[in-house]
Amino acid sequence: MTTRPFRILGLQQIAIGGLDKGRLARLWVDTLGVPVTGNYRSERENVDEDILALGVGPHKVEVDLMQPLDPSKRPAIHETPLNHVGLWVDDLPKAVEWLSAQGVRFAPGGIRRGGAGYDICFIHPRGNEGSPIGGEGVLIELVQAPPEVVDALAPRA
């Protein structure tokens, strides 16, 4: 294996899917008191989500409460309650290039702007013949960390 040209810095988010994000909010917002900081809706991604925040600044972790716009369409973001885990990465393009060369399978869509405004892409939950490394059932989002997050979370030499 060659030298990795990027670093995973920390947890950026967890995304929880259900048929009714209001029921999810009853626990996360009403009972636990995690504040809603935004919303995201995408027909292409079949998602209506509330974005919550634990912590502040570079240590903030999103908790995304997601429901499908149409439960009969794909992606079926509600069929796996823990929909995905997001990881901060210091150099997303280099990470995608290197990981692809190692046999990691990425979900369709490539690098694109995510609901929180950061560039993102997804490691597919399952590998295939051409790209045998996947998330072993877990969708993993790689999120380009902004400079302040890189500075706060990068290991010191």
Side-chain angles (χ1 to χ4, degrees), residues 1-153:
M1 210 176 260
T2 60
T3 302
R4 190 176 295 104
F6 64 93
R7 292 180 307 229
I8 298 297
L9 301 171
L11 184 65
Q12 188 270 335
Q13 71 174 259
I14 59 168
I16 302 165
L19 286 172
D20 179 359
K21 68 179 183 176
R23 291 177 56 91
L24 295 169
R26 190 173 336 151
L27 170 65
W28 288 91
V29 178
D30 301 340
T31 306
L32 297 176
V34 181
V36 176
T37 60
N39 306 92
Y40 179 69
R41 185 179 177 94
S42 170
E43 296 286 335
R44 183 176 69 86
E45 297 175 24
N46 191 33
V47 68
D48 178 12
E49 73 182 57
D50 290 339
I51 301 168
L52 286 57
L54 292 168
V56 294
H59 301 284
K60 177 177 77 173
V61 175
E62 286 181 21
V63 177
D64 296 343
L65 306 180
M66 308 185 327
Q67 73 180 33
L69 295 172
D70 183 342
S72 68
K73 292 186 178 177
R74 297 278 182 229
I77 53 95
H78 62 292
E79 287 184 358
T80 305
L82 177 57
N83 183 270
H84 66 271
V85 175
L87 303 174
W88 286 123
V89 61
D90 65 348
D91 191 325
L92 184 58
K94 283 184 182 174
V96 170
E97 179 182 3
W98 189 85
L99 291 167
S100 294
Q102 306 310 307
V104 172
R105 181 181 181 196
F106 285 89
I111 295 174
R112 60 195 179 278
R113 183 74 57 188
Y118 305 110
D119 283 350
I120 63 162
C121 69
F122 291 92
I123 294 175
H124 199 283
R126 293 177 190 14
N128 63 15
E129 190 174 315
S131 299
I133 301 171
E136 295 303 315
V138 176
L139 184 64
I140 301 168
E141 182 177 15
L142 298 180
V143 183
Q144 175 60 59
E148 63 274 14
V149 172
V150 173
D151 186 53
L153 299 180

